[in-house]
Amino acid sequence: MSRKFTPKVVTANRLREGDVVYLTADDRWSPHHHEAELIEDEAHGQIRLLHANAQKLDIVGAYLADARPGPLGPEPVHFREAFRTRGPSNYNHGKQADLGHV
């Protein structure tokens, strides 16, 4: 018996800067997890992943990451994905500098 599909988002790294990005429902790459398309169907998830992997000039390393619905949009489920939403941790720059409270 196969496991029940859990909601996911498509995530990758932007090729030029290396920033973590998320695929939105309108086919944009956003640096914000809550803007990602929450995928609740396995077949749709595979189609969206194929779409992402076809964008080899923009992103690298696309994969489906577990997520859950939240009040502002999808939220990460696992520590690794929550960590990726905050950006590099060696000093405040990028997402950390924008947030001001990290």
Side-chain angles (χ1 to χ4, degrees), residues 29-99:
W29 287 104
S30 171
H32 307 291
H33 192 281
H34 68 274
E35 292 181 357
E37 175 184 16
L38 185 64
I39 300 165
E40 300 188 84
D41 176 76
E42 187 171 8
H44 184 66
Q46 292 303 316
I47 289 168
R48 298 301 281 160
L49 187 58
L50 286 170
H51 172 73
N53 281 318
Q55 299 179 39
K56 296 186 183 298
L57 297 177
D58 297 320
I59 58 99
V60 64
Y63 64 93
L64 294 170
D66 290 339
R68 64 176 163 251
L72 300 176
E75 295 177 346
V77 172
H78 297 293
F79 170 78
R80 177 180 190 264
E81 296 307 320
F83 188 77
R84 290 181 80 232
T85 66
R86 294 189 294 268
S89 60
N90 53 350
Y91 57 91
N92 285 346
H93 65 287
K95 291 179 190 177
Q96 291 178 356
D98 292 342
L99 294 175

